[in-house]
């Protein structure tokens, strides 16, 4: 085996270890949040030794932050994809469906997808240090939502629309963590969408008459 091949194998092994540590951290963060996670639990679940965390991430805190940031990026990318696909003539209900779709898909899929959503929900309620690193992506998501909300709610100013969007996001965060989220996850995808989308639509509409 050549030196290059050995180096490639070491890199692959290192990447598997990093991926395993992040997967284990994600599962525990989704269950308990950052304050409830221990180094030993993560390494036991990942089948790695404690030194691997120091070697690949520097500390437990850095591993958790990297895992949270990755989860947030996955969620925001999925939401941007859904909202970005809407045209300027999208209805309020179509906007709400696109906004909630990453959450609905996570509930239906379970597993790591749901762990991502629950981690996002926890940090949405208690933002960690370093949140500002993703400000650009949050701003992009907000702009996309405003782009499709404004034509549906022409009498509502931008600050009010941003407030309603934050309320809708908070609603989804709560559902991901509350017992009702488990009940929703057991529903067929069509029924889940039928129950959830009108609620998110109402959050966007606020007290605007339904004629709008």
């Amino acid at each position: 085996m050549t030196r290059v091949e050995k180096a490639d194998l070491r890199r692959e092994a290192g990447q598997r270890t990093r991926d395993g540590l992040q997967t284990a951290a994600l599962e525990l963060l989704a269950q308990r949040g950052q304050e409830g996670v221990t180094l030993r639990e993560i390494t036991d679940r990942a089948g790695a030794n404690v030194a691997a965390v120091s070697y690949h991430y520097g500390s437990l805190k850095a591993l958790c932050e990297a895992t949270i940031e990755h989860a947030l990026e996955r969620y925001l990318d999925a939401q941007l994809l859904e909202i970005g696909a809407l045209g300027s003539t999208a209805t309020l209900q179509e906007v709400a469906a696109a906004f909630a779709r990453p959450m609905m898909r996570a509930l239906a899929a379970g597993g790591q997808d749901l762990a991502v959503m629950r981690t996002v929900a926890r940090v949405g309620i208690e933002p960690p240090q370093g949140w500002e690193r993703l400000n650009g992506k949050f701003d992009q998501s907000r702009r996309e939502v405003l782009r499709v909300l404004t034509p549906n709610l022409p009498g509502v100013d931008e600050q009010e629309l941003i407030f309603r969007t934050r309320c809708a996001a908070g609603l989804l965060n709560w559902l991901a963590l509350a017992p009702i989220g488990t009940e929703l996850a057991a529903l067929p995808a069509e029924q889940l969408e039928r129950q959830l989308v009108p609620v998110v639509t109402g959050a966007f509409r606020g007290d605007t008459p339904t004629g709008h």
Side-chain angles (χ1 to χ4, degrees):
M1 184 179 293
T2 68
R3 185 178 300 175
V4 172
E5 288 172 329
K6 289 180 180 178
D8 287 343
L9 287 175
R10 283 197 298 272
R11 277 194 295 271
E12 289 173 8
Q15 187 60 53
R16 284 196 298 272
T17 300
R18 285 192 293 273
D19 291 345
L21 289 169
Q22 279 210 17
T23 297
L26 177 67
E27 292 167 354
L28 292 167
L29 286 166
Q31 293 170 16
R32 304 178 203 159
Q34 192 166 350
E35 298 304 315
V37 173
T38 68
L39 182 60
R40 178 62 67 183
E41 285 178 306
I42 291 175
T43 53
D44 284 351
R45 187 171 291 213
N49 58 49
V50 172
V53 174
S54 295
Y55 178 78
H56 290 292
Y57 292 96
S59 66
L60 171 62
K61 181 174 182 288
L63 168 59
C64 289
E65 287 177 350
T67 303
I68 289 168
E69 186 166 342
H70 182 60
L72 282 166
E73 286 183 333
R74 280 182 60 178
Y75 173 70
L76 287 171
D77 284 344
Q79 196 169 67
L80 278 167
L81 188 65
E82 293 292 339
I83 298 292
L86 296 174
S88 59
T89 58
T91 66
L92 197 58
Q93 189 165 9
E94 287 170 340
V95 175
F99 189 81
R101 195 160 289 126
M103 159 67 155
M104 294 188 291
R105 285 179 177 161
L107 285 170
Q112 192 172 84
D113 287 345
L114 186 53
V116 166
M117 186 65 209
R118 284 180 172 157
T119 299
V120 169
R122 288 190 185 279
V123 300
I125 294 168
E126 295 183 22
Q129 290 183 344
W131 177 277
E132 62 275 3
R133 288 199 297 270
L134 292 172
N135 276 353
K137 193 159 283 189
F138 278 109
D139 289 343
Q140 183 184 358
S141 177
R142 187 179 298 116
R143 285 195 303 271
E144 282 296 302
V145 173
L146 290 176
R147 176 182 65 82
V148 289
L149 275 184
T150 302
N152 282 284
L153 300 164
V156 183
D157 66 43
E158 182 175 301
Q159 288 306 309
E160 176 66 19
L161 290 178
I162 290 172
F163 173 73
R164 294 183 191 182
T165 299
R166 293 179 68 185
C167 288
L171 168 67
L172 295 177
N173 289 341
W174 176 78
L175 286 173
L177 298 173
I180 193 174
T182 304
E183 298 172 23
L184 290 172
L187 298 176
E190 297 80 6
Q191 186 177 348
L192 173 60
E193 182 165 348
R194 191 164 59 248
Q195 289 193 212
L196 189 53
V197 170
V199 178
V200 179
T201 303
F204 283 142
R205 182 180 291 122
D207 62 358
T208 304
T210 55
H212 286 283

